[in-house]
Amino acid sequence: MHNVVNESAAANAGSLPEFRKSFETVRKASYLVGVALFTRESDLNVRFFGTSTIIALVYVCCLYSGWFLRSDWNRLLEMSVCLLLNLQGTSKLWTGFVHKLRYCKLFQTTERIYESFDDDERNRPILRDVVSKMNLFIRWIVIVYVSCGVIIVTLVVLYISLTGQKFLVLTIFVPYVDHTTLVGYVTHSFLHLSMIVFCVIGYLASDTAFIVTVVPIIAYGNCLQNEIRNLNLMLQMPQRNEKLITEKLLRICKLHQMIVEFEEDAVEHFKYGCAVQILFQAGTLLVTIFLSYICGYIQAASIFMALFFQLTQYCALGTIVTAKNDQMTIDIYGIEWYRLGNTQQQIVVFMLHRAQTAKDLSVGGIAPLNVETYVKIMKTTYSFLALLITLFK
């Protein structure tokens, strides 16, 4: 009996602590790369300078490697994968460092919206369900990204064990260090492992920050639908409490306004970042397909897996935002406005106007970030692969 009471109390308790806990992966990963996204303090610390130094060093090594491999286009392409990944990582770090205050504002706003919905215990099951799914999604991202890094290292170690040859993890060279010597090989291996570790952590920080910003919109849309359903039930009651109805309608209007403004800020914040990410993701996908299928570069297959997963999640989340905007518009249309007074009906009209002007995530404001864009990229990738098969079979 005591356990039943405890379970009932836990179910009725607010879910805000669970939501705050879901930010832990973002907080830890961003801290490790030197950008504390949840504080307004300066990020000019040792960790940030360490990450920046690794990124700058990779650019220097890429320039040197490009000159060193200029006559070998095959290995030059292998090096280009490192360059493309570093460019994407630079964009992520730049966004986190320069637009840190935007991140802080988004996190604070989403927490405030969540808390407002959480005040009504009828919304808590909806909120908990989305938070649990978001946490599961984040765990999968951690598994995929870490696995891709581990697979690259494991394949290289296996190759070295079987052949006894000094095989580099990545095709990128330290200037004026001979990788064929023992000291040079250890130096190159340390640089390559550092690159993989920083790449995994940096990508986790950026992509999970994107997820915890966008995914809660699902919960907000579903909770708003629940609020409107409860309003309609109040309107259908034989003995209506007009004061409660007005308060409920004003609450729904305020919550919807908060969601729309939050989406506008999120869309503006991620607009150009998404453009850079999608551009480099698509470009690197094409290069890794060529290297893994035609050239037999085993590391490219693992990188392709991570990029494919990354591109899929970006476009899927963009589609979710669009779907939720459409859903909220339909739900507002579903308010039984004919049972309301003139002043109350004007509030509904205002909500409809705001719903129809809601913004969706885009790729730099040029193309929508959704499944349609994803399909176009996949079709281009497939056409490229088919061309390669035809040319090199």
Side-chain angles (χ1 to χ4, degrees), residues 188-206:
H188 280 78
S189 298
F190 179 76
L191 172 65
H192 296 169
L193 291 175
S194 299
M195 287 170 57
I196 291 173
V197 170
F198 273 89
C199 183
V200 170
I201 296 174
Y203 276 42
L204 278 177
S206 175

Side-chain angles (χ1 to χ4, degrees), residues 4-281:
V4 173
V5 172
N6 286 339
E7 290 177 3
S8 176
N12 293 328
S15 62
L16 185 60
E18 300 168 34
F19 181 61
R20 287 172 175 161
K21 191 176 179 180
S22 66
F23 287 82
E24 282 306 304
T25 301
V26 186
R27 184 178 286 108
K28 291 176 181 178
S30 61
Y31 175 83
L32 289 174
V33 296
V35 182
L37 295 178
F38 293 85
T39 67
R40 295 179 180 271
E41 298 175 3
S42 173
D43 285 323
L44 297 177
N45 50 58
V46 175
R47 298 182 308 278
F48 177 77
F49 283 117
T51 304
S52 303
T53 301
I54 289 288
I55 289 176
L57 182 59
V58 172
Y59 282 124
V60 172
C61 292
C62 283
L63 289 173
Y64 173 80
S65 303
W67 177 257
F68 183 75
L69 299 170
R70 62 189 183 279
S71 58
D72 188 347
W73 66 268
N74 192 348
R75 303 200 69 194
L76 197 61
L77 275 178
E78 295 176 8
M79 183 278 298
S80 70
V81 174
C82 297
L83 179 60
L84 288 169
L85 291 175
N86 203 51
L87 286 168
Q88 192 174 342
T90 304
S91 171
K92 291 176 182 292
L93 185 66
W94 176 263
T95 301
F97 179 74
V98 175
H99 301 297
K100 175 181 173 176
L101 293 180
R102 282 188 180 179
Y103 267 118
C104 287
K105 181 183 177 183
L106 286 171
F107 293 145
Q108 290 170 357
T109 303
T110 192
E111 187 174 300
R112 188 165 63 251
I113 297 172
Y114 190 99
E115 187 174 15
S116 298
F117 279 116
D118 193 61
D119 287 340
D120 189 338
E121 64 181 19
R122 291 171 293 186
N123 292 326
R124 289 170 188 170
I126 299 172
L127 295 170
R128 283 196 171 95
D129 179 61
V130 174
V131 168
S132 64
K133 290 177 179 176
M134 181 172 69
N135 288 333
L136 179 62
F137 187 32
I138 290 174
R139 281 196 290 272
W140 270 107
I141 291 175
V142 174
I143 291 171
V144 170
Y145 285 11
V146 173
S147 297
C148 289
V150 171
I151 287 172
I152 292 175
V153 177
T154 303
L155 289 174
V156 173
V157 171
L158 286 174
Y159 183 86
I160 295 172
S161 301
L162 294 173
T163 64
Q165 299 177 1
K166 294 184 178 70
F167 188 75
L168 293 177
V169 179
L170 301 171
T171 307
I172 184 172
F173 305 107
V174 179
Y176 307 110
V177 176
D178 186 0
H179 65 279
T180 60
T181 64
L182 179 59
V183 174
Y185 182 72
V186 171
T187 302
H188 280 78
S189 298
F190 179 76
L191 172 65
H192 296 169
L193 291 175
S194 299
M195 287 170 57
I196 291 173
V197 170
F198 273 89
C199 183
V200 170
I201 296 174
Y203 276 42
L204 278 177
S206 175
D207 293 348
T208 52
F210 181 69
I211 288 166
V212 298
T213 303
V214 174
V215 171
I217 294 175
I218 303 173
Y220 304 153
N222 293 342
C223 287
L224 190 72
Q225 184 181 62
N226 189 48
E227 296 270 353
I228 291 173
R229 186 185 300 115
N230 293 332
L231 173 64
N232 286 337
L233 290 175
M234 294 172 65
L235 293 174
Q236 295 167 9
M237 293 178 64
Q239 295 182 345
R240 294 173 25 164
N241 187 324
E242 295 299 330
K243 181 181 178 182
L244 287 179
I245 290 174
T246 301
E247 290 177 354
K248 185 69 170 180
L249 185 61
L250 290 172
R251 168 179 164 81
I252 292 172
C253 182
K254 179 182 176 181
L255 289 170
H256 179 252
Q257 182 78 0
M258 291 172 68
I259 295 171
V260 171
E261 290 177 355
F262 173 70
E263 285 186 348
E264 289 176 348
D265 291 340
V267 167
E268 184 63 28
H269 176 65
F270 291 113
K271 181 169 63 175
Y272 297 109
C274 284
V276 174
Q277 299 306 316
I278 297 299
L279 176 64
F280 286 127
Q281 286 166 13

Side-chain angles (χ1 to χ4, degrees), residues 276-320:
V276 174
Q277 299 306 316
I278 297 299
L279 176 64
F280 286 127
Q281 286 166 13
T284 313
L285 275 176
L286 295 176
V287 176
T288 52
I289 287 176
F290 180 85
L291 289 172
S292 57
Y293 184 80
I294 303 300
C295 304
Y297 185 55
I298 55 176
Q299 293 92 321
S302 180
I303 296 171
F304 172 83
M305 182 175 70
L307 289 171
F308 179 79
F309 184 82
Q310 187 185 46
L311 178 64
T312 302
Q313 78 181 24
Y314 268 75
C315 293
L317 292 175
T319 303
I320 287 172

